[in-house]
Amino acid sequence: MRKELFGLADRLAREHRLELDEYRALIDGRAPEITAYLADLAVQARKRIYGNTVYIRGLIEIGNVCKNDCLYCGIRRGNTSCERYRLSHEEILACCREGYTLGFRTFVLQGGEDPFWTDDRLCLLLRAIKQEHPDVAVTLSLGERSRESYARLKEAGADRYLLRHETADATHYAKLHPKELSFDNRMRCLTDLKSLGYQVGCGFMVGSPYQTSSMLARDLQFVEQFAPDMCGIGPFIPQSDTPFRHEPAGSAELTCYLLSILRLIRPNFLLPATTALGTIHPGGREMGILSGANVVMPNLSPASVRAKYALYDNKLSDGSESAQCKDELTQRMRSIGYEVVTDRGDVKPIP
């Protein structure tokens, strides 16, 4: 079995694809030796394209109002304990100005699916950001919208869109989401975004309730076939005001193992060491980079609202997670041999 797993790792590094049952074999066979081997292959693959650079994104959580009632999410509609907020147009622009001064050249605007943020309001905001900072990239992560909406936002200046698929198994998707949300519509959104010319990011939770290794294998195969520009994965972390409050959290170790596999599937894509990874393990950011990730997203949101964007319990938002502590983050990355760069950080082609 050991020889078979190492053979699969080598073939994945060469061909960037495996069969579904082979992905599952890699997941089920996780052990220290194959973990280290995959991480080494992943780091080599990333360094061939990105060297030892780490891209930073300034994360601005524009609001925690959400019309959806996803069972795992702390800002779900049904959570009456959530203290709601919504940043104003001017507050968001102020975050961008501060971020630009700090050296950020990508801003990620993330929020719940809030009907307040109409296309008109978002287009006005995007044009204002691009007028003040024409050399930045703007990433949106605002959930499911119509194709027409995505097209308008792209025309107004949005460069990238993050929409985690959460799980590539339709039955599993239904167990994590309310009936009004559908797996088919989530896939439609991702397809629309790609066809409109966005740099598109998908992603999934690791260790979410009801998840099996077969489901994770399907996630890996979906990423292989969809071929996104970005992929965000992180461990499931329960939130105390959700139906999944008593479910066990996912593991940092399995998340990092999957990061290595993902890097070998798509050697050139943008792969963040996520906040959830840093939350579940004090060295999670570094573990992610050493497993093949090449992006970190410190928080640029106003300090007064960061704790309110509680997707899960104990979410990091200060220290090196804060954009204002970029120097600390730079030193942490430097301590493991990597350099944070001031760059838009667009996806690079495979040489």
Side-chain angles (χ1 to χ4, degrees), residues 65-124:
V65 178
C66 190
K67 67 181 183 180
N68 296 330
D69 219 14
C70 304
L71 277 69
Y72 50 84
C73 184
I75 66 170
R76 65 196 303 262
R77 182 186 71 232
N79 181 6
T80 57
S81 300
C82 181
E83 186 180 350
R84 305 293 175 174
Y85 76 92
R86 183 186 288 132
L87 296 184
S88 69
H89 178 98
E90 279 304 321
E91 285 174 319
I92 296 168
L93 290 181
C95 291
C96 292
R97 291 181 195 117
E98 181 182 18
Y100 194 87
T101 301
L102 289 168
F104 290 85
R105 294 298 179 266
T106 286
F107 302 126
V108 181
L109 308 187
Q110 183 179 76
E113 290 194 22
D114 180 0
F116 172 85
W117 286 109
T118 61
D119 292 345
D120 287 345
R121 286 192 171 108
L122 283 172
C123 288
L124 187 66

Side-chain angles (χ1 to χ4, degrees), residues 258-306:
L258 294 170
L259 283 172
S260 296
I261 295 173
L262 286 165
R263 173 58 67 193
L264 296 177
I265 292 172
R266 296 280 293 165
N268 67 324
F269 72 176
L270 302 164
L271 193 60
T274 58
T275 302
L277 188 54
T279 296
I280 207 165
H281 191 289
R285 289 284 200 203
E286 291 89 339
M287 290 167 62
I289 298 297
L290 292 170
S291 299
N294 66 330
V295 173
V296 290
M297 295 197 294
N299 202 317
L300 265 176
S301 308
S304 60
V305 303
R306 287 179 193 168

Side-chain angles (χ1 to χ4, degrees), residues 204-208 211 216 233-237 249-251 254-255 258:
F204 54 92
M205 291 180 287
V206 178
S208 61
Q211 189 178 67
L216 283 172
I233 72 169
F236 164 75
I237 302 175
S251 88
L254 178 55
T255 301
L258 294 170

Side-chain angles (χ1 to χ4, degrees), residues 57 106 108 138-140 159-163 165 190 198-203 223 226-233 266 268-272 294-295 297 345-347:
R57 318 302 202 196
T106 286
V108 181
V138 178
T139 302
L140 299 180
D159 302 282
R160 309 179 186 131
Y161 205 102
L162 300 174
L163 182 65
H165 64 279
L190 285 166
Y198 281 90
Q199 290 185 40
V200 181
C202 61
V223 173
F226 180 65
D229 302 290
M230 306 169 280
C231 184
I233 72 169
R266 296 280 293 165
N268 67 324
F269 72 176
L270 302 164
L271 193 60
N294 66 330
V295 173
M297 295 197 294
D346 290 306
V347 65

Side-chain angles (χ1 to χ4, degrees), residues 307-325:
K308 298 176 185 177
Y309 200 79
L311 303 181
Y312 44 82
D313 285 348
N314 304 311
K315 177 173 166 282
L316 291 182
S317 61
D318 53 14
S320 60
E321 195 65 32
S322 166
Q324 291 75 12
C325 295

